[in-house]
């Protein structure tokens, strides 16, 4: 599977694409993982091969503080996790990754009084 790229292929990117293809990841997952790793590398300012546990921790904090949604943050970290775990085999860094849970939205429940009041206002 060949991913269309506007980014030059580095040896690390080529290895990651090969690893994703070998694991039969679909085009959307591959694009998402590559985008996540590009974002991590841009934030890091150097190759992810040189990342430290603190870099991973601070990148996650950066995502949270920059206001990205929990879903986007988790998706980004899933891509970074693939790079670290599969391509780089850096399990020490993978251990630093955590996922956030989406808050459960509690449905609005009206009291009996509020229901009665609403029904009195309706024609």
């Amino acid at each position: 599977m060949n991913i269309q790229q506007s980014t030059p292929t580095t040896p690390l990117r080529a290895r990651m694409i090969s690893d994703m293809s070998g694991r039969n990841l679909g085009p959307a997952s591959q694009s998402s993982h590559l985008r996540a790793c590009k974002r991590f590398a841009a934030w890091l300012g150097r190759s992810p091969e040189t990342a430290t546990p603190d870099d991973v921790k601070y990148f996650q904090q950066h995502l949270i503080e920059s206001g990205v949604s929990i879903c986007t943050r988790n998706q980004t970290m899933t891509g970074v996790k693939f790079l670290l775990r599969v391509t780089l085999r850096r399990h020490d860094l993978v251990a630093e990754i955590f996922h956030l849970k989406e808050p459960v939205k509690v449905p609005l429940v009206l009291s009996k009084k509020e229901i009665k009041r609403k029904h009195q206002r309706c024609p």
Side-chain angles (χ1 to χ4, degrees):
M1 179 170 301
N2 193 358
I3 299 289
Q4 291 292 344
Q5 326 162 356
S6 60
T7 304
T9 301
T10 63
L12 179 58
R13 183 180 177 92
R15 276 181 28 216
M16 185 172 172
I17 291 169
S18 175
D19 288 339
M20 290 187 295
S21 296
R23 282 161 181 74
N24 216 16
L25 268 64
S29 292
Q30 289 191 29
S31 292
S32 174
H33 285 8
L34 290 170
R35 189 171 40 255
C37 293
K38 185 176 178 180
R39 185 176 195 170
F40 179 52
W43 176 85
L44 201 55
R46 59 186 195 276
S47 172
E49 291 176 291
T50 65
T52 66
D54 281 344
D55 291 330
V56 175
K57 184 171 69 174
Y58 295 140
F59 178 63
Q60 291 175 104
Q61 194 62 40
H62 161 74
L63 292 175
I64 293 166
E65 290 171 358
S66 65
V68 299
S69 70
I70 291 173
C71 181
T72 299
R73 186 237 168 254
N74 287 344
Q75 187 176 35
T76 300
M77 293 315 298
T78 297
V80 172
K81 186 176 187 175
F82 182 92
L83 171 70
L84 299 175
R85 183 176 53 82
V86 177
T87 304
L88 295 177
R89 293 185 173 90
R90 291 287 310 272
H91 298 281
D92 59 317
L93 299 181
V94 174
E96 298 298 321
I97 294 176
F98 59 91
H99 282 75
L100 298 174
K101 291 188 178 183
E102 289 276 356
V104 177
K105 293 186 179 176
V106 180
L108 177 63
V109 179
L110 300 176
S111 70
K112 288 182 180 182
K113 241 184 191 177
E114 291 170 319
I115 292 171
K116 193 172 187 178
R117 218 174 337 167
K118 282 195 180 266
H119 283 287
Q120 288 173 350
R121 283 190 256 165
C122 294

